[in-house]
Amino acid sequence: MNYHVLTLFPEMILEGLHTSIIGRAIEKGLISLEAVNIRDFALESRKGRVDDYPYGGGAGMVMQAEPVYRACRHVTEKTEGTPRVIYLTPQGNVFTQSLAEELAGEKDLVFLCGHYEGIDERVLEEVVTDYVSIGDYVLTGGELPAMVMIDAISRLVPGVLNNQESAQFESFQDNLLEYPQYSRPEEWRGKCVPPVLLSGHHGNVDQWRREQSLKRTLERRPDLLETADLTEKDRKYLNKLLANMEET
Ligand code: 6GU
Protein backbone atom coordinates (compact mmCIF):
# COMPACT_ATOMS: atom_id res chain seq x y z
CA MET A 1 0.00 0.00 0.00
CA ASN A 2 1.38 3.39 -1.00
CA TYR A 3 -0.11 6.50 0.60
CA HIS A 4 0.36 9.96 -0.91
CA VAL A 5 -0.85 12.86 1.22
CA LEU A 6 -1.28 16.30 -0.38
CA THR A 7 -1.05 18.83 2.42
CA LEU A 8 0.23 22.23 3.58
CA PHE A 9 1.60 20.52 6.73
CA PRO A 10 3.69 17.53 5.60
CA GLU A 11 5.59 17.35 8.90
CA MET A 12 2.33 16.76 10.76
CA ILE A 13 1.63 13.67 8.64
CA LEU A 14 5.20 12.34 8.75
CA GLU A 15 5.71 12.88 12.48
CA GLY A 16 2.32 11.48 13.35
CA LEU A 17 2.66 8.28 11.39
CA HIS A 18 6.28 7.26 11.90
CA THR A 19 5.73 5.86 15.38
CA SER A 20 4.28 2.64 16.77
CA ILE A 21 2.67 0.02 14.53
CA ILE A 22 2.38 2.19 11.41
CA GLY A 23 6.02 3.34 11.74
CA ARG A 24 7.12 -0.28 11.99
CA ALA A 25 5.05 -1.21 8.91
CA ILE A 26 6.78 1.58 6.95
CA GLU A 27 10.21 0.33 8.09
CA LYS A 28 9.27 -3.18 7.03
CA GLY A 29 8.22 -1.89 3.61
CA LEU A 30 4.64 -3.13 3.98
CA ILE A 31 3.34 0.38 3.39
CA SER A 32 4.94 3.59 2.12
CA LEU A 33 4.05 7.14 3.01
CA GLU A 34 4.78 10.26 0.98
CA ALA A 35 3.72 13.74 2.14
CA VAL A 36 3.60 16.22 -0.74
CA ASN A 37 3.71 19.91 0.18
CA ILE A 38 1.08 21.73 -1.89
CA ARG A 39 3.03 24.96 -1.28
CA ASP A 40 5.84 23.60 -3.48
CA PHE A 41 3.38 23.84 -6.39
CA ALA A 42 2.37 27.47 -5.83
CA LEU A 43 1.99 29.70 -8.89
CA GLU A 44 5.27 31.38 -9.84
CA SER A 45 3.63 34.82 -9.49
CA ARG A 46 2.46 34.14 -5.92
CA LYS A 47 5.77 33.34 -4.21
CA GLY A 48 4.70 30.29 -2.24
CA ARG A 49 1.17 31.46 -1.44
CA VAL A 50 -1.58 29.02 -2.29
CA ASP A 51 -4.67 30.71 -0.77
CA ASP A 52 -6.71 33.63 -2.03
CA TYR A 53 -9.92 35.54 -1.29
CA PRO A 54 -13.23 33.86 -2.11
CA TYR A 55 -15.13 35.23 -5.11
CA GLY A 56 -18.43 36.62 -3.88
CA GLY A 57 -16.89 37.69 -0.59
CA GLY A 58 -17.17 36.17 2.85
CA ALA A 59 -14.84 35.19 5.63
CA GLY A 60 -11.62 33.23 5.26
CA MET A 61 -9.42 32.17 2.39
CA VAL A 62 -9.75 29.49 -0.28
CA MET A 63 -6.97 27.19 -1.52
CA GLN A 64 -6.39 27.87 -5.22
CA ALA A 65 -7.09 25.24 -7.84
CA GLU A 66 -3.77 25.18 -9.73
CA PRO A 67 -1.33 24.32 -6.89
CA VAL A 68 -3.65 21.51 -5.75
CA TYR A 69 -3.94 20.26 -9.33
CA ARG A 70 -0.18 20.28 -9.86
CA ALA A 71 0.49 18.51 -6.56
CA CYS A 72 -2.04 15.85 -7.49
CA ARG A 73 -0.61 15.41 -10.99
CA HIS A 74 2.90 15.14 -9.52
CA VAL A 75 1.67 12.07 -7.63
CA THR A 76 -0.55 10.48 -10.28
CA GLU A 77 2.15 10.76 -12.96
CA LYS A 78 4.22 8.28 -10.94
CA THR A 79 1.53 5.76 -10.05
CA GLU A 80 0.28 3.04 -12.34
CA GLY A 81 -3.39 3.38 -13.24
CA THR A 82 -5.52 6.16 -11.78
CA PRO A 83 -5.55 5.98 -7.99
CA ARG A 84 -8.52 7.02 -5.88
CA VAL A 85 -8.18 10.58 -4.62
CA ILE A 86 -9.86 11.11 -1.26
CA TYR A 87 -10.81 14.63 -0.20
CA LEU A 88 -11.20 14.94 3.57
CA THR A 89 -14.23 17.08 4.32
CA PRO A 90 -17.03 17.17 6.90
CA GLN A 91 -19.34 17.14 3.85
CA GLY A 92 -18.19 13.62 2.85
CA ASN A 93 -19.55 10.15 3.47
CA VAL A 94 -18.77 9.06 7.02
CA PHE A 95 -15.72 6.77 7.21
CA THR A 96 -16.58 3.24 8.33
CA GLN A 97 -14.78 -0.06 8.87
CA SER A 98 -16.32 -1.33 5.65
CA LEU A 99 -14.81 1.58 3.65
CA ALA A 100 -11.46 0.88 5.39
CA GLU A 101 -11.70 -2.72 4.18
CA GLU A 102 -12.50 -1.62 0.64
CA LEU A 103 -9.62 0.89 0.53
CA ALA A 104 -7.12 -1.61 2.02
CA GLY A 105 -7.33 -3.48 -1.31
CA GLU A 106 -5.95 -0.51 -3.32
CA LYS A 107 -2.32 -0.21 -4.43
CA ASP A 108 -2.11 3.60 -4.10
CA LEU A 109 -4.29 6.07 -2.22
CA VAL A 110 -4.10 9.84 -2.52
CA PHE A 111 -5.40 11.98 0.37
CA LEU A 112 -6.13 15.65 -0.27
CA CYS A 113 -6.11 17.76 2.91
CA GLY A 114 -7.81 21.13 2.80
CA HIS A 115 -7.34 24.09 5.12
CA TYR A 116 -8.82 27.57 5.49
CA GLU A 117 -12.38 27.69 4.12
CA GLY A 118 -11.76 24.87 1.66
CA ILE A 119 -10.47 24.32 -1.86
CA ASP A 120 -11.62 25.85 -5.17
CA GLU A 121 -14.52 23.66 -6.29
CA ARG A 122 -13.23 23.31 -9.87
CA VAL A 123 -10.14 21.29 -8.95
CA LEU A 124 -12.19 19.08 -6.64
CA GLU A 125 -14.50 18.28 -9.58
CA GLU A 126 -11.44 17.48 -11.66
CA VAL A 127 -9.45 15.17 -9.34
CA VAL A 128 -11.49 13.89 -6.39
CA THR A 129 -13.04 10.40 -6.52
CA ASP A 130 -14.19 10.12 -2.87
CA TYR A 131 -15.43 12.71 -0.36
CA VAL A 132 -14.90 11.37 3.17
CA SER A 133 -15.65 12.72 6.67
CA ILE A 134 -14.59 11.05 9.91
CA GLY A 135 -17.65 12.15 11.89
CA ASP A 136 -20.09 14.94 12.59
CA TYR A 137 -17.84 17.63 14.05
CA VAL A 138 -15.65 20.25 12.42
CA LEU A 139 -11.84 20.13 12.45
CA THR A 140 -9.36 22.79 11.30
CA GLY A 141 -8.00 20.68 8.44
CA GLY A 142 -7.91 17.31 6.74
CA GLU A 143 -4.59 16.12 8.20
CA LEU A 144 -5.95 14.42 11.32
CA PRO A 145 -8.75 12.72 9.33
CA ALA A 146 -6.17 11.48 6.79
CA MET A 147 -4.07 10.07 9.63
CA VAL A 148 -7.12 8.41 11.15
CA MET A 149 -7.95 6.77 7.82
CA ILE A 150 -4.36 5.68 7.17
CA ASP A 151 -4.19 4.06 10.61
CA ALA A 152 -7.49 2.19 10.17
CA ILE A 153 -6.62 1.04 6.63
CA SER A 154 -3.03 0.03 7.42
CA ARG A 155 -3.94 -2.38 10.18
CA LEU A 156 -5.92 -4.33 7.56
CA VAL A 157 -2.89 -4.65 5.26
CA PRO A 158 -1.49 -8.21 5.60
CA GLY A 159 1.55 -8.37 7.89
CA VAL A 160 1.03 -4.99 9.54
CA LEU A 161 -0.36 -6.48 12.73
CA ASN A 162 1.86 -9.11 14.37
CA ASN A 163 -0.93 -11.31 15.20
CA GLN A 164 -3.44 -11.73 12.38
CA GLU A 165 -6.10 -12.82 14.84
CA SER A 166 -6.02 -9.52 16.68
CA ALA A 167 -7.41 -7.88 13.54
CA GLN A 168 -9.99 -10.63 13.21
CA PHE A 169 -11.49 -10.41 16.66
CA GLU A 170 -11.49 -6.76 17.51
CA SER A 171 -14.39 -4.36 17.73
CA PHE A 172 -16.57 -4.17 14.65
CA GLN A 173 -15.85 -7.67 13.48
CA ASP A 174 -19.37 -9.04 12.95
CA ASN A 175 -20.34 -5.41 13.73
CA LEU A 176 -20.20 -6.14 17.49
CA LEU A 177 -18.13 -4.39 20.16
CA GLU A 178 -15.26 -6.28 21.72
CA TYR A 179 -15.62 -8.19 25.01
CA PRO A 180 -13.76 -6.90 28.11
CA GLN A 181 -10.16 -8.00 28.75
CA TYR A 182 -8.35 -8.78 32.01
CA SER A 183 -4.72 -9.42 32.93
CA ARG A 184 -2.78 -10.07 36.15
CA PRO A 185 -3.37 -9.80 39.07
CA GLU A 186 -6.41 -12.01 39.61
CA GLU A 187 -7.64 -9.56 42.26
CA TRP A 188 -7.00 -5.81 41.95
CA ARG A 189 -8.21 -3.42 44.66
CA GLY A 190 -10.86 -5.88 45.66
CA LYS A 191 -12.08 -6.48 42.11
CA CYS A 192 -11.80 -10.03 40.78
CA VAL A 193 -11.37 -11.35 37.25
CA PRO A 194 -14.56 -13.13 36.06
CA PRO A 195 -14.07 -16.75 37.27
CA VAL A 196 -14.92 -18.30 33.87
CA LEU A 197 -11.69 -16.80 32.45
CA LEU A 198 -9.65 -18.74 35.03
CA SER A 199 -11.51 -22.02 34.44
CA GLY A 200 -9.42 -23.22 31.49
CA HIS A 201 -12.65 -24.28 29.76
CA HIS A 202 -12.29 -22.80 26.27
CA GLY A 203 -15.88 -23.47 25.23
CA ASN A 204 -17.23 -21.60 28.24
CA VAL A 205 -14.73 -18.77 27.76
CA ASP A 206 -15.82 -18.35 24.11
CA GLN A 207 -19.48 -18.36 25.05
CA TRP A 208 -18.92 -15.82 27.85
CA ARG A 209 -17.00 -13.53 25.50
CA ARG A 210 -19.68 -13.70 22.83
CA GLU A 211 -22.33 -12.87 25.42
CA GLN A 212 -20.27 -9.94 26.74
CA SER A 213 -19.89 -8.60 23.20
CA LEU A 214 -23.63 -8.82 22.67
CA LYS A 215 -24.42 -7.22 26.05
CA ARG A 216 -21.93 -4.39 25.48
CA THR A 217 -23.23 -3.69 22.00
CA LEU A 218 -26.82 -3.66 23.26
CA GLU A 219 -25.89 -1.24 26.09
CA ARG A 220 -23.48 1.07 24.27
CA ARG A 221 -24.18 0.88 20.53
CA PRO A 222 -27.59 -0.74 20.00
CA ASP A 223 -27.66 0.76 16.47
CA LEU A 224 -24.93 -1.72 15.45
CA LEU A 225 -27.16 -4.73 16.18
CA GLU A 226 -29.29 -3.94 13.14
CA THR A 227 -26.45 -4.91 10.81
CA ALA A 228 -24.61 -7.38 13.09
CA ASP A 229 -23.97 -10.98 12.09
CA LEU A 230 -26.13 -12.79 14.66
CA THR A 231 -26.82 -16.48 15.17
CA GLU A 232 -30.08 -17.87 16.53
CA LYS A 233 -28.30 -18.37 19.87
CA ASP A 234 -27.16 -14.72 19.87
CA ARG A 235 -30.73 -13.56 19.29
CA LYS A 236 -32.04 -15.67 22.17
CA TYR A 237 -29.43 -14.22 24.50
CA LEU A 238 -30.28 -10.66 23.42
CA ASN A 239 -33.99 -11.32 23.94
CA LYS A 240 -33.21 -12.57 27.43
CA LEU A 241 -31.24 -9.39 28.17
CA LEU A 242 -34.06 -7.24 26.81
CA ALA A 243 -36.63 -9.09 28.95
CA ASN A 244 -34.45 -8.49 32.03
CA MET A 245 -34.11 -4.80 31.19
CA GLU A 246 -37.89 -4.46 30.97
CA GLU A 247 -38.34 -6.13 34.37
CA THR A 248 -36.05 -3.66 36.12
CL1 6GU B 1 -12.53 14.89 6.90
N1 6GU B 1 -12.30 17.40 7.69
C1 6GU B 1 -12.57 18.42 8.53
N2 6GU B 1 -12.00 19.62 8.32
N3 6GU B 1 -13.39 18.30 9.57
C2 6GU B 1 -13.91 17.10 9.76
C3 6GU B 1 -13.67 16.00 8.94
C4 6GU B 1 -12.85 16.20 7.88
N4 6GU B 1 -14.37 14.95 9.39
C5 6GU B 1 -15.01 15.38 10.44
N5 6GU B 1 -14.75 16.67 10.68
Side-chain angles (χ1 to χ4, degrees):
M1 169 66 74
N2 306 305
Y3 300 110
H4 314 266
V5 184
L6 314 179
T7 172
L8 292 174
F9 301 96
E11 64 292 347
M12 186 174 174
I13 300 290
L14 296 174
E15 282 169 26
L17 291 171
H18 271 96
T19 45
S20 188
I21 296 172
I22 306 305
R24 191 187 64 199
I26 294 170
E27 276 169 31
K28 283 209 250 169
L30 295 167
I31 61 180
S32 75
L33 175 66
E34 169 191 36
V36 174
N37 194 341
I38 296 168
R39 200 174 298 286
D40 292 344
F41 299 86
L43 296 170
E44 292 69 14
S45 58
R46 304 214 57 234
K47 304 191 180 105
R49 291 205 65 178
V50 295
D51 62 326
D52 207 337
Y53 297 99
Y55 278 120
M61 300 294 270
V62 175
M63 284 169 70
Q64 290 178 285
E66 185 63 15
V68 170
Y69 186 72
R70 290 179 185 173
C72 193
R73 284 294 299 269
H74 170 78
V75 166
T76 55
E77 272 166 9
K78 296 180 298 185
T79 57
E80 32 176 286
T82 42
R84 284 167 84 161
V85 177
I86 298 158
Y87 178 47
L88 290 313
T89 166
Q91 300 178 8
N93 297 314
V94 176
F95 186 51
T96 58
Q97 190 65 24
S98 95
L99 182 56
E101 282 163 18
E102 183 186 322
L103 294 174
E106 299 285 327
K107 188 158 180 292
D108 291 275
L109 287 174
V110 181
F111 293 90
L112 173 56
C113 304
H115 252 269
Y116 315 118
E117 290 307 302
I119 300 181
D120 190 306
E121 189 69 18
R122 293 167 294 181
V123 68
L124 299 178
E125 289 170 6
E126 209 59 35
V127 304
V128 172
T129 61
D130 299 78
Y131 293 81
V132 181
S133 162
I134 61 163
D136 290 337
Y137 39 81
V138 181
L139 301 169
T140 56
E143 284 76 14
L144 287 169
M147 289 161 74
V148 164
M149 289 185 66
I150 289 170
D151 188 284
I153 295 163
S154 296
R155 60 186 290 291
L156 302 173
V157 171
V160 168
L161 295 185
N162 264 335
N163 177 352
Q164 270 305 105
E165 298 94 88
S166 58
Q168 287 291 305
F169 288 99
E170 274 170 34
S171 292
F172 291 104
Q173 219 67 38
D174 291 343
N175 227 23
L176 293 174
L177 301 184
E178 204 191 359
Y179 49 78
Q181 298 278 16
Y182 300 86
S183 184
R184 286 193 288 187
E186 248 180 76
E187 186 185 330
W188 176 76
R189 294 187 181 233
K191 299 177 83 132
C192 293
V193 172
V196 61
L197 298 178
L198 310 172
S199 69
H201 191 301
H202 296 302
N204 288 352
V205 170
D206 288 347
Q207 186 188 333
W208 181 85
R209 285 180 166 168
R210 184 73 181 178
E211 290 176 358
Q212 290 295 311
S213 283
L214 293 163
K215 182 161 179 279
R216 220 162 234 218
T217 309
L218 180 65
E219 286 167 355
R220 299 185 184 182
R221 290 293 308 276
D223 56 300
L224 294 178
L225 290 172
E226 283 166 37
T227 46
D229 246 327
L230 299 178
T231 64
E232 202 43 49
K233 198 174 172 191
D234 291 337
R235 291 182 194 282
K236 279 195 180 141
Y237 181 72
L238 283 169
N239 285 333
K240 197 178 90 186
L241 290 177
L242 284 166
N244 285 344
M245 281 163 66
E246 272 159 34
E247 264 173 42
T248 55

